[in-house]
Amino acid sequence: MRLMPAEKLSAVRVQVKNMAHKYTKTSFLMDSDLHFRVLQNKLTPELPKYLDMVKKEISNACATTLPQTDDWTEVGIQPLMRMVVARITSAVMVGYPVARDPEWLNLIIDYPGDMLEVAYTLRRFPPWMHYFVALFLPARYRLASKYKVALRILSPVMDKLARLKGPGSDGIETVAEEDDTLLNWMLDRGDEKETQYEEMAARQVLLSLASIHTTSMTVSNILYDLCEHPEWFSVLRAEIEATANELGPMGSKVGIVQWLFRLEKMNSFIVETQRLRPPIILSPQREAMEPLTLSDGTYIPKGSRISWAAYNHINSHAVTSNPENFDPMRSYRKRHAAPDERNKHLAGQTDVNNLTFGYGKLACPGRAFAISEVQMILVKILMDFDFKFPTGKGRPKDMFADEQMFPDPSAMIMIRRRGKGNPIE
Ligand code: HEM
């Protein structure tokens, strides 16, 4: 099934149905995978360049988002991490000045809430009732207005990019480094319909739906795990310091990808946090576009939806020994067990036993970027800040909504500046 083409086993059909596409203006995704192609053909192959862009934004994003105080301060870390991730992701996706525009940032942060409110409400009713129920959903009208605002904010950017490549220019090569955003690539490579401003603006907002909450929630969950097991703070910080001592500040002597590759313990920690708290517990999800008979004779009728119980699978005794134990060096030990295991068991890699990022041809196309972002944010904030739970509080409880898993949004954490110097700068 891993190798079956999308014409036979579709991921996007499931996604648009999950999003109640008729009522959230997302049907256009069924005709176009431009958002997938840009991640697979531009972002991932040119990851070093885009991580340089992230590095340029991350210090300012953290300095203006996180409290710069030497006294312990109680904060909701989840919204703060969403803002940091929204800033650095927008720098890569749509560039400046939009990446620092509070209206844009709040829009892409709030959009998933409205989207899920519409979709999850409608999912509770039979399809024939959707039209009537949708009429009474305020979130549906908020979504429509968000698409309009996104169009207003992004139109001048798209105009500028069009001007740069207009008559008299050298075409697609003329844009400066900072304008070589993912939006620019999509405008160059998209067909007539895909490059219409309205559809392009909606696609940018949807890309943020896929990227911001998943990534920021991963960082928040890692911080909760660290606060619950504080002995690991010093281990991760020592690894960062050792890497900086040997390789200089991040990206100075060797590229950022190589620098981050040295953070093996941090990488293993991420794998363990994601095992216990993935944002999506059913993954991958596919719809059969035609009747299928598998090699073992299993017959799947056309239109059936198939999901894998990723969370239960990786947390079963058959796959993970003592799955109830938090053991952040599991994948580190596996990688060091034999020389040919060194490049396996890494965060962001897909495997039949680790479906956090889906599987096969249609696995998450943003996963390499996502893990690098998580690592870069951790380097920055672990060196700049101390964290702990407020007195008498512990790890927030996990919550579930259909196939989504997330920490209690009201959870608080204590933060204070460390001021010991940062190898990201
Ligand atoms: C920790 C962070 C993330 C997690 C856990 C995650 C997880 C997933 C999963 C499980 C899927 C479904 C894969 C499948 O069906 O096989 C997916 C799809 C997708 N992800 Fe991610 N993701 C993350 C971050 C990102 C980021 C940062 C981006 C963008 C830069 C991104 C863009 C996408 C897109 C566009 C799709 C849909 C692909 C399609 O149209 O089929 N994701 N992701």
Side-chain angles (χ1 to χ4, degrees), residues 129-145:
M129 289 180 73
H130 286 183
Y131 175 80
F132 301 102
V133 178
L135 292 174
F136 299 98
L137 294 177
R140 183 185 167 197
Y141 303 104
R142 289 200 296 272
L143 273 183
S145 111

Side-chain angles (χ1 to χ4, degrees), residues 10-13 15 29 32-33 35-39 43 85 89 92-93 182 206-219 270 274 277-286 310 350 355-371 373-374:
S10 168
V12 76
R13 294 284 294 198
Q15 284 155 15
L29 293 178
S32 155
D33 64 352
H35 58 289
F36 193 100
R37 282 187 280 133
V38 71
L39 302 179
L43 178 65
V85 174
T89 311
V92 164
M93 289 194 177
L182 301 191
L206 274 158
L207 260 173
S208 62
L209 170 77
S211 56
I212 293 173
H213 286 246
T214 45
T215 310
S216 61
M217 207 188 297
T218 304
V219 179
I270 297 171
Q274 289 193 317
R277 290 176 177 90
I280 307 161
I281 59 175
L282 282 183
S283 156
Q285 301 183 40
R286 303 282 183 264
T350 58
L355 302 170
T356 310
F357 286 95
Y359 198 59
K361 281 172 180 264
L362 301 173
C364 174
R367 60 192 191 275
F369 180 70
I371 294 300
E373 267 187 309
V374 169

Side-chain angles (χ1 to χ4, degrees), residues 4-177:
M4 277 187 186
E7 300 77 51
K8 285 188 172 184
L9 212 49
S10 168
V12 76
R13 294 284 294 198
V14 180
Q15 284 155 15
V16 295
K17 283 185 183 173
N18 280 350
M19 291 191 286
H21 62 101
K22 284 188 197 147
Y23 305 96
T24 53
K25 295 181 186 271
T26 49
S27 308
F28 70 89
L29 293 178
M30 279 193 283
D31 306 321
S32 155
D33 64 352
L34 188 61
H35 58 289
F36 193 100
R37 282 187 280 133
V38 71
L39 302 179
Q40 201 169 50
N41 300 333
K42 179 73 176 170
L43 178 65
T44 307
E46 295 184 28
L47 194 60
K49 165 183 157 166
Y50 287 107
L51 295 185
D52 281 338
M53 285 163 98
V54 168
K55 190 180 154 225
K56 282 190 191 130
E57 186 59 22
I58 206 165
S59 294
N60 187 285
C62 288
T64 51
T65 307
L66 297 170
Q68 303 296 317
T69 156
D70 297 336
D71 299 322
W72 283 111
T73 310
E74 196 169 295
V75 293
I77 199 72
Q78 296 175 52
L80 300 182
M81 284 303 116
R82 281 198 284 275
M83 182 53 84
V84 170
V85 174
R87 287 266 302 261
I88 59 182
T89 311
S90 295
V92 164
M93 289 194 177
V94 291
Y96 300 97
V98 177
R100 290 190 181 175
D101 175 349
E103 193 180 19
W104 168 258
L105 295 168
N106 287 323
L107 185 151
I108 56 174
I109 288 171
D110 295 343
Y111 170 87
D114 290 334
M115 157 69 77
L116 296 182
E117 195 173 318
V118 176
Y120 282 27
T121 309
L122 292 180
R123 280 200 220 174
R124 271 143 190 81
F125 293 89
W128 66 268
M129 289 180 73
H130 286 183
Y131 175 80
F132 301 102
V133 178
L135 292 174
F136 299 98
L137 294 177
R140 183 185 167 197
Y141 303 104
R142 289 200 296 272
L143 273 183
S145 111
K146 284 194 168 70
Y147 287 128
K148 281 193 192 137
V149 176
L151 179 62
R152 170 167 58 72
I153 294 174
L154 292 178
S155 290
V157 184
M158 296 192 269
D159 284 343
K160 180 188 155 194
L161 290 167
R163 267 199 316 277
L164 288 173
K165 288 169 279 188
S169 78
D170 294 337
I172 59 175
E173 300 306 327
T174 58
V175 296
E177 186 87 349

